[in-house]
Amino acid sequence: MNTYTDSSSQENQESDFNIREQVEKYLIHWKWFAVAVFATLLLAFLYLRYATPLYSASTTILVKDDKKGGLSTELSALSDLGGLGGAKSNVDNEIEILKSRTLVENTVEKLKLNVAYVMQGRVKSAELYTASPIDFIYLPNKEIVENNNSETFTVTSVSAATFKLAYLEKELGVFKYNTIIDTKVGKISVTKTIFAAEKDNQEFEIECIYSPVAKITAAFKNKLVVSSLSKTSSVVSLSVVDAVPARAEDFLNTLVALYNQNAIEDKNLVAEKTSDFISQRLEFITNELTDVEKDVEGFKNQNSLTDIESETKLFLENASDYEKQKIETEIQMNVVASMVQFLNSSKPDDLIPTNLLSSGANSEAGSLIGEYNKMVIERNRIAAGATPENPVVQNADKRINALKANIAQSLSRMQSSLSIKKRNLDREGAAIGGRKSQVPRLEREFRIIDRQQKVKEALYLYLLQKREETALTLAATEQSAKVIDSGLSSDIPVSPKKMIVYLGALMAGLLIPFALIYVADLLNTKIKNRGDIEKRLNIPFLGDVPRSESHEE
């Protein structure tokens, strides 16, 4: 019976579910919903009013990539000069370099982002960044560095030349600007900036928050997002989210500038090392080349040479002329000896040959022989018609004999002259022979020295060319990244988003009273009306007794 009753009650409960009744259960508490929505929207407004908005800044660069194309093609016209190729790069490697801790740390140090300037307001504080009227320089001591904690100093203006310094809400004293202050936590110096003129007649209190560079570097490294826009291009996007838009833009622009500077320095380091090596080698080769040239000079002076090749050719020509003269002299000596022998054995009526002596021979003997032959012809003509005892014939014979003696003396003198000439030629021939035997040795020795000179000259010219190529490399060093769009921050903050905050507040304002009403109704076990009995029990209902709140009814 109980089982039937429970099951019947459950069926009645499911079948009697009334949406209108459920809605009215919540609408009766509409004031709760209105108050909750107003409260959550008010809290959302106050949150948006005093929360620190975060802005996103981004920049786009074209990275040199040998696979996908990029800056490397712009200097391809100079690649034949050598030294401009450099190491190959790709987008993935360059992205990792852009995200590297070292590069981010250098950017933080360059912009001095580890020192924040905060102007305290009544409700909300504002970070001044570059608009700070002071520049806070802090050199922490060893203990502070080891603790790796942030330190907060308060600088309050006292006059145009002095300020009050406090550390951990403890006043350290009043000091002058541009002086070094020794404290227990380190050395401090405060200088005025160009914005100080705007606040000369105004008092200001600025909190200078010094943070370790490593901590700020880690924060910016986590906020930095570097990604490639597509797989087929070498365009890379860099973005960072920060509370100060100008700081985010400066961070991205400085990061790209330092990235290019480091890439150029790496390439120039190789070129500079190469240039130094070439300069050292040039100095060494110059000294060696000078020594070799001095050796050439000494060799030529020692052997009385100017141009060994030309002089060897001239020497061989002179040797050939000597041989000709020697042969001609010997021929002439033989001819003269033959003529002397012929002259001694000739008869009065014999003629002496006149064409045996060369044109360069003794002209006296030639003229005497010519005159002698004329007298012999005349004597033979007279003797043909007279007897040998003819006085005319005898007189001709005497004159012929006298002229014959003169010819013999002339030929004798010619023989003596030719003998002297032959001895001179023999002496000169001995000298030429000795000189001729030295030519191969001189040529071999000179070729050794000349080869060294040519090698040194070729190496010297090669190093000069490479030095110019290296200088061109230093002057025409290409950047690894070309800025397409410089750093620019958005005008609308990326966090908090107003629409999302208000929508969340509205949802919270509706859900909170709804949840309260639902839980209260779920925990309520009292019977309020006739429907509560009919829903849960399957028994006859006789009636209900009304209850009045007043005694008059």
Side-chain angles (χ1 to χ4, degrees), residues 165-176:
L165 181 64
Y167 172 65
L168 297 178
E169 299 182 356
K170 181 180 179 182
E171 184 177 340
L172 299 179
V174 178
F175 306 95
K176 292 183 179 181

Side-chain angles (χ1 to χ4, degrees), residues 513-526:
F514 177 83
L516 292 175
I517 294 171
Y518 178 79
V519 172
D521 183 65
L522 189 65
L523 298 177
N524 186 9
T525 58
K526 295 180 181 181

Side-chain angles (χ1 to χ4, degrees), residues 529-530 533-534 539-546:
N529 51 36
R530 177 179 177 177
I533 296 176
E534 292 178 347
I539 58 176
F541 180 76
L542 299 178
D544 54 358
V545 179

Side-chain angles (χ1 to χ4, degrees), residues 5 11 25 40 42 49 94 102 179 210 212 228 233 240 260 322 326 342 344 354 362 377 391 406 488 494 498 515 532:
T5 301
E11 291 176 359
K25 182 174 64 175
T40 53
L42 179 61
R49 175 66 178 81
E94 302 307 313
T102 302
T179 58
Y210 171 85
S228 177
S233 68
V240 66
N260 281 327
Y322 156 76
K326 183 178 179 182
F342 175 79
N344 293 331
T354 59
N362 196 332
I377 293 173
N406 291 335
L488 181 64
V494 296
K498 289 185 178 180
D532 293 340

Side-chain angles (χ1 to χ4, degrees), residues 63-68 87-100 103 226 236 259:
V63 176
K64 173 186 173 183
D65 191 346
D66 300 296
K67 296 180 180 178
K68 300 178 182 178
K88 293 185 177 181
S89 61
N90 56 66
V91 174
D92 296 334
N93 291 339
E94 302 307 313
I95 288 178
E96 294 302 321
I97 295 176
L98 287 168
K99 295 191 298 184
S100 64
L103 186 59
V226 184
V236 175
Y259 166 75

Side-chain angles (χ1 to χ4, degrees), residues 276-408:
D276 294 340
F277 172 76
I278 290 175
S279 299
Q280 295 175 0
R281 291 299 301 170
L282 271 175
E283 183 178 358
F284 180 74
I285 294 300
T286 301
N287 295 333
E288 286 192 342
L289 185 59
T290 302
D291 295 338
V292 172
E293 289 176 347
K294 289 181 179 179
D295 292 341
V296 172
E297 179 183 359
F299 179 81
K300 290 183 176 181
N301 290 334
Q302 182 180 359
N303 296 279
S304 300
L305 298 173
T306 53
D307 185 357
I308 188 170
E309 185 174 349
S310 300
E311 291 190 1
T312 301
K313 184 177 179 181
L314 181 61
F315 171 74
L316 293 176
E317 291 177 355
N318 293 336
S320 178
D321 293 340
Y322 156 76
E323 294 293 337
K324 291 180 181 179
Q325 292 180 9
K326 183 178 179 182
I327 293 172
E328 289 179 356
T329 302
E330 291 179 350
I331 291 174
Q332 289 180 10
M333 290 180 66
N334 292 331
V335 170
V336 171
S338 300
M339 290 185 67
V340 169
Q341 184 179 5
F342 175 79
L343 185 64
N344 293 331
S345 61
S346 64
K347 297 178 180 179
D349 56 350
D350 292 335
L351 295 175
I352 301 175
T354 59
N355 57 351
L356 295 179
L357 296 176
S358 63
S359 59
N362 196 332
S363 59
E364 179 186 1
S367 61
L368 291 176
I369 292 173
E371 185 180 355
Y372 175 82
N373 288 335
K374 289 181 181 180
M375 292 181 66
V376 170
I377 293 173
E378 181 66 21
R379 183 258 178 202
N380 291 337
R381 185 182 62 80
I382 296 174
T387 61
E389 289 80 10
N390 190 315
V392 176
V393 174
Q394 291 180 354
N395 188 26
D397 289 338
K398 290 180 181 180
R399 286 188 291 142
I400 288 173
N401 291 330
L403 190 56
K404 188 176 182 180
N406 291 335
I407 292 173

